[in-house]
Every structure is written in structure tokens, then in C-alpha cells.
């Protein structure tokens, strides 16, 4: 089972690199096993070119210790683990420093729902976390990054909002699998770019009505969905 997950996570990381969302060794993808005991994640600082399943690192969800692998796991591993521990149904997590989504994170602004393209994938604004305190940064920075994400989602549904902007840092996205998490990261970047272009053309643009938001999200997600083929 872990070998299959390593293959899937490796393919997702390569797909992320091919998407153009990452440069150099930035960004990482992880996936969790069906028993929710172990997480497979990209190794830290390793180039995407030539990356193979054998390079993936397996860590324990419980304590983050390496279970399998000769390489160090991603430096963002503790953030991924916090998301898995708190968001039921999430099977894959992605972190990037993609251009437009990171710009919104640096501006510390949520991405508003300015049109139905956004509403097709996010049932509300893409949320932005609060700034982290000096103590949170100095002590367990990566774990605390995860904790401020969880804090921001205290009254939100992470399956209806499959991504977040960490203030001053960048975006994280997730999905039911590593591949879906990459897909959602790509969508998140597109929405960030689309919102940037819209506000450049009309600085006073306002969010769409809730009725239109809920219609577009509902026709793609949930029991009443009817978009696509059954």
C-alpha cells in the first residue's frame, strides 16, 4: 500500500512541477494512507528532475518521525501533519509559492468571490490566516503554521474551501488525494490571478450574490450536483 502511495505522491509532485506553479525546489505534495497512520511527502530541497517514488519519505502521522526513507522530509511536513490531523476527508496536501496566490498572501487579503469561476470550486472567499506571533515563529514554526490554518477554519468547511493563504507566506491546498490537491492548487492560483486582473480593471468590483455563489458551487459539489457525467 505504501509503495502505491509513494508512486502517487511522486507523480503528484512531478505534476505540480509541470504545472508551472513551482520553481527550483519550492513546493511540496504529500498524501496519507488509507489507515491515516502514515504520510508520504516529498524530500526536502531535492530537485524535481529525476525524482522517483523511492525518494519519497514516509513519516508517522502521530509524531512526524521518519518511518521509511533515507532522505529528510520536506521542511513543511509538520504543517501537512496538522492539516491531516484536523481535516477529516483530506487525503493530499500541497504547498506552493505560486506567484499570484503568494502575492495575495503577502498582502494578507482573502480572495473574494468576484465571479462564478471562483464559485465553481470554493464556496466562499479563499481565506487568509492571521499573522503569526514572534513566539509562534520562534517555537515550532512549521507546526504553528498548521495551527493558524486550523484556527482560521474553526467555523469553515475545509472540503468546501480546499485551500488557504498563510499571511506573509503562501498558499496551501488540499483534496481527497494528492492528485486532487495539486488540481486544487492550480485552481487556487488561477483564481488569485483572475481576481488580480478583475481588481486591476475595476478596483471597486464587488463579490457576486450568495444565490449565484451557492448555485454554482452546488451544481458541481454535494448531493444535488449535476455538472458533468454520472
Amino acid at each position: 500500500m505504501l509503495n502505491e502511495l509513494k508512486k502517487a505522491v511522486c507523480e503528484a509532485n512531478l505534476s505540480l512541477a509541470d504545472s508551472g506553479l513551482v520553481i527550483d525546489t519550492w513546493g511540496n505534495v504529500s498524501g496519507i494512507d488509507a489507515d491515516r497512520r502514515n504520510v508520504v511527502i516529498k524530500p526536502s530541497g531535492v530537485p524535481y528532475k529525476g525524482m522517483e517514488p523511492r525518494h519519497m519519505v514516509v513519516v508517522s502521522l502521530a509524531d512526524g518521525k521518519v518511518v521509511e526513507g533515507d532522505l529528510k522530509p520536506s521542511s513543511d511536513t509538520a504543517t501537512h501533519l496538522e492539516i491531516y490531523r484536523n481535516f477529516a476527508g483530506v487525503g493530499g496536501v500541497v504547498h506552493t509559492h505560486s506567484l499570484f496566490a503568494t502575492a495575495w498572501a503577502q498582502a494578507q487579503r482573502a480572495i473574494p468571490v468576484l465571479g462564478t469561476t471562483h464559485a465553481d470550486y470554493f464556496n466562499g472567499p479563499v481565506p487568509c490566516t492571521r499573522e503569526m506571533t514572534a513566539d509562534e515563529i520562534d517555537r515550532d514554526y512549521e507546526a504553528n503554521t498548521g495551527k493558524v490554518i486550523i484556527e482560521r477554519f474553526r467555523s469553515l468547511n475545509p472540503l468546501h474551501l480546499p485551500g488557504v493563504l498563510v499571511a506573509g507566506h503562501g498558499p496551501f491546498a488540499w483534496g481527497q488525494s494528492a492528485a486532487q490537491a495539486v488540481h486544487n492548487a492550480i485552481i487556487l492560483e488561477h483564481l488569485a490571478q483572475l481576481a488580480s486582473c478583475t481588481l486591476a480593471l475595476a478596483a471597486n468590483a464587488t463579490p457576486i450574490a450568495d444565490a449565484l455563489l451557492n448555485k454554482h458551487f452546488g451544481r458541481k459539489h454535494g448531493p444535488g450536483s449535476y455538472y458533468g457525467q454520472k
Side-chain angles (χ1 to χ4, degrees), residues 38-75:
N38 296 302
V39 171
V40 176
I41 195 165
K42 174 185 177 288
S44 179
V46 173
Y48 290 93
K49 186 176 181 179
M51 187 178 291
E52 298 179 3
R54 63 188 175 87
H55 296 130
M56 299 300 103
V57 185
V58 184
V59 300
S60 166
L61 178 64
D63 57 19
K65 292 182 179 178
V66 174
V67 175
E68 289 184 23
D70 300 323
L71 300 172
K72 289 170 53 180
S74 166
S75 58

Side-chain angles (χ1 to χ4, degrees), residues 99-222:
L99 183 60
F100 284 88
T102 300
W104 281 83
Q106 291 180 171
Q108 299 184 29
R109 290 184 59 183
I111 303 173
V113 187
L114 298 176
T116 59
T117 307
H118 184 130
D120 282 339
Y121 295 95
F122 281 74
N123 193 23
V126 178
C128 186
T129 70
R130 64 169 172 81
E131 287 186 281
M132 296 173 68
T133 66
D135 184 60
E136 288 170 331
I137 294 168
D138 290 339
R139 177 182 49 82
D140 296 330
Y141 169 63
E142 289 80 12
N144 284 328
T145 299
K147 291 181 187 301
V148 297
I149 293 173
I150 305 311
E151 175 189 294
R152 183 65 185 84
F153 275 77
R154 192 166 291 155
S155 60
L156 301 174
N157 185 340
L159 299 183
H160 289 181
L161 296 165
V164 68
L165 307 173
V166 177
H169 187 174
F172 283 80
W174 46 81
Q176 293 180 331
S177 66
Q180 188 181 67
V182 171
H183 175 73
N184 288 334
I186 294 170
I187 295 298
L188 174 53
E189 174 64 7
H190 182 79
L191 298 181
Q193 184 173 4
L194 190 56
S196 298
C197 292
T198 301
L199 293 171
L201 290 167
N204 60 346
T206 58
I208 60 174
D210 286 347
L212 188 56
L213 163 63
N214 293 331
K215 178 64 176 180
H216 267 261
F217 187 81
R219 71 178 190 164
K220 275 197 170 185
H221 309 273

